[in-house]
Amino acid sequence: MPNDTTITTDLTPLYPILYQDAVRHALLEDFGSRGDITTDAVVSPDDRATARIIARSPGRIAGIDIAGFAFCCLDPRLQFEAKLQDGKDAAAGETLAIIKGAARPILSAERTALNFLAALSGIATATRDIAALIAAYPARVVCTRKTTPGLRILEKYAVRAGGGFNHRFGLDDALLIKDNHIVVAGGVSEAIQRARRRIGHMIKVEVEVDTLDQLELALKEEIDAVLLDNMPTSVLSEAVRLVNRRVITEASGGISAQTAEAVAATGVDLISIGWITHSAPALDLSLDFAYEFR
């Protein structure tokens, strides 16, 4: 894997309104109908503590403010101090944040906070590592719509934290004509022409093609980008040559850490990878707890 300084990013933080409902829902899911019965039984309301979020393994951080909100949502009086911001790399054993205050809300919010932070940091780390592998080429890593239902905004933010870029957020972002659209329409050309008759000037059109013959048909129409799906690198190289920079080229389909560099070497503009959001391993984190006598 690349070292921690290979890929950096200038990241705009998420507006809190974009994650607050998701965090509240997760806390409610954890609390159920009776709340944290273990903590309520064992810990006094007056007990205080200092806790540290620790990275057990190295990785790119995403979701630190979301974790902070999980704690402070239960008790706004808690002091949450982030030691490392999103988009930065953590070493194994490094402290990511310190939480001080009443012990009960810290314990009760622990799992929700770590779930968000670990999952999003895992996505950011996976994205960073792929971006580092193709850093010698102009190609960008982009995500897909293969995201956890309800968490797409957060997961796509984590991709940006890892140095990647976002594909469309939803079906209304841009027009992407895929293989099944082409089947229903009766062909590449007909599908594109139908689309163009219906959309306004602000909407971009991308079309998915599986073969060079389909690509040549698509290039005769008015399109902005072409998705080159599941093509071997030899065919991808020929596709890039045929496009000759007339439209944006995107490679997609089964691209892994082992194949990403070879795909980038074909000259494509974008490499879209679904697993960086739907299958990235969570970063290993822990909450180390210190009791303070009241």
Side-chain angles (χ1 to χ4, degrees):
M1 284 292 125
N3 64 50
D4 289 348
T5 59
T6 304
I7 295 296
T8 59
T9 180
D10 182 15
L11 187 66
T12 300
L14 281 176
Y15 288 106
I17 195 173
L18 296 176
Y19 58 76
Q20 288 176 344
D21 284 350
V23 173
R24 289 191 182 99
H25 178 79
L27 287 168
L28 287 169
E29 179 181 55
D30 217 15
F31 270 55
S33 61
R34 298 180 62 192
D36 184 354
I37 60 175
T38 306
T39 296
D40 290 349
V42 175
V43 179
S44 165
D46 296 324
D47 287 339
R48 298 183 64 80
T50 295
R52 297 175 182 270
I53 300 177
I54 307 293
R56 287 180 174 170
S57 57
R60 175 63 57 89
I61 301 306
I64 197 73
D65 291 341
I66 299 171
F69 179 73
F71 290 108
C72 295
C73 188
L74 293 189
D75 186 351
R77 296 167 297 181
L78 291 178
Q79 299 175 38
F80 183 88
E81 181 185 1
K83 292 295 186 180
L84 206 64
Q85 295 300 320
D86 289 351
K88 303 298 182 182
D89 292 302
E94 187 167 358
T95 296
L96 307 184
I98 299 174
I99 310 100
K100 294 183 179 181
R104 275 188 173 183
I106 297 175
L107 286 164
S108 297
E110 172 185 353
R111 179 43 48 202
T112 295
L114 293 187
N115 281 349
F116 278 105
L117 184 57
L120 296 179
S121 295
I123 291 170
T125 301
T127 305
R128 178 205 65 184
D129 291 347
I130 293 291
L133 290 170
I134 66 169
Y137 305 93
R140 291 178 166 185
V141 179
V142 297
C143 53
T144 70
R145 286 168 43 244
K146 296 176 182 178
T147 54
T148 306
L151 298 180
R152 181 171 295 169
I153 289 175
L154 306 189
E155 292 179 349
K156 282 183 173 283
Y157 166 77
V159 168
R160 300 197 301 276
F165 296 83
N166 296 148
H167 210 292
R168 60 180 181 159
F169 273 71
L171 297 174
D172 61 341
D173 269 11
L175 199 149
L176 175 52
I177 300 170
K178 304 198 75 176
D179 51 356
N180 287 330
H181 296 112
I182 291 169
V183 170
V184 173
V188 171
S189 301
E190 178 62 21
I192 297 170
Q193 290 167 16
R194 287 186 186 183
R196 278 295 177 193
R197 289 195 292 266
R198 293 293 300 273
I199 61 172
H201 68 287
M202 295 294 289
I203 298 178
K204 291 185 178 296
V205 174
E206 181 173 14
V207 61
E208 176 186 302
V209 298
D210 301 318
T211 66
L212 295 179
D213 288 342
Q214 284 186 323
L215 174 60
E216 289 180 334
L217 289 173
L219 291 173
K220 293 177 181 178
E221 306 294 336
E222 185 184 355
I223 61 173
D224 301 288
V226 61
L227 192 158
L228 308 167
D229 191 45
N230 282 299
M231 291 184 175
T233 53
S234 59
V235 179
L236 273 176
S237 296
E238 178 62 14
V240 171
R241 188 194 66 79
L242 286 172
V243 171
N244 194 25
R245 300 186 180 278
R246 284 179 284 174
V247 298
I248 294 170
T249 54
E250 174 188 348
S252 180
I255 299 168
S256 66
Q258 290 70 43
T259 61
E261 184 174 7
V263 172
T266 66
V268 293
D269 300 304
L270 307 173
I271 299 176
S272 59
I273 304 177
W275 66 262
I276 57 175
T277 49
H278 70 65
S279 298
L283 190 66
D284 191 6
L285 306 175
S286 67
L287 189 76
D288 291 353
F289 213 86
Y291 176 76
E292 297 178 2
F293 291 99
R294 57 185 182 272

